Amino acid sequence: MKLYHIIDTKTVAAILCTYKGHILTTQRKDGRWSLPKGHRKIGETLIQAALRELAEETDIRPDPEAMQYLGAMSHPRRGTPVHLYHTELPKPIIPILNEEHTDYRWCTYDDLLSMPKSEPIDITLATAYERYCEPA
């Protein structure tokens, strides 16, 4: 195994998966909700990291060509970079969750704001959704 497959960086890649105005969220074991995201591994591009995390956490594998880079923001607590991608799925896929998650939900932006979230970054990501992705 190559070393870059096991070493994380401090950079986070996240994906807003949407379908007709609904956002895919996953529930962690502590009951809080999150967007699919995780640390980029050494040797990965940002989009590779985002696609890998989405596949690991949900088994959803969108077309890389359909991914839209929304930009970078700073993690509210850690100050580390978070790079956000968006993909609009052609149908509401039922994710196959990994061991980190217990449930999933396709929710509206308003639902997401009222749900217990895993960390402050998800509020930032939700705000990015409102700014860049929400249907007019």
Side-chain angles (χ1 to χ4, degrees):
M1 175 184 284
K2 292 184 180 180
L3 190 58
Y4 68 83
H5 287 297
I6 58 173
I7 298 176
D8 288 342
T9 67
K10 292 184 179 185
T11 302
V12 172
I15 298 184
L16 280 165
C17 285
T18 58
Y19 172 73
K20 293 189 178 180
H22 289 77
I23 305 164
L24 175 64
T25 58
T26 55
Q27 188 176 41
R28 297 193 177 268
K29 290 181 180 180
D30 64 6
R32 293 181 292 176
W33 294 86
S34 182
L35 300 174
K37 65 182 178 299
H39 292 271
R40 182 179 61 86
K41 298 193 181 300
I42 292 175
E44 282 184 318
T45 64
L46 290 169
I47 194 164
Q48 287 170 336
L51 290 167
R52 176 186 50 77
E53 285 292 339
L54 182 62
E56 285 178 3
E57 294 183 9
T58 67
D59 201 37
I60 294 174
R61 300 165 195 278
D63 179 356
E65 297 294 319
M67 302 291 289
Q68 175 189 9
Y69 181 69
L70 298 180
M73 56 197 73
S74 182
H75 189 286
R77 282 195 321 239
R78 299 183 192 111
T80 54
V82 178
H83 295 270
L84 182 62
Y85 288 86
H86 172 250
T87 188
E88 175 75 18
L89 298 175
K91 61 183 178 181
I93 297 172
I94 297 173
I96 299 171
L97 302 175
N98 69 3
E99 67 282 351
E100 296 176 28
H101 302 93
T102 59
D103 200 3
Y104 77 94
R105 186 180 298 168
W106 285 98
C107 63
T108 65
Y109 172 73
D110 289 337
D111 292 338
L112 181 60
L113 290 180
S114 66
M115 295 161 63
K117 286 165 276 305
S118 66
E119 53 188 46
I121 190 62
D122 287 312
I123 296 169
T124 305
L125 296 176
T127 302
Y129 169 79
E130 179 183 41
R131 186 173 300 142
Y132 300 112
C133 306
E134 190 168 36

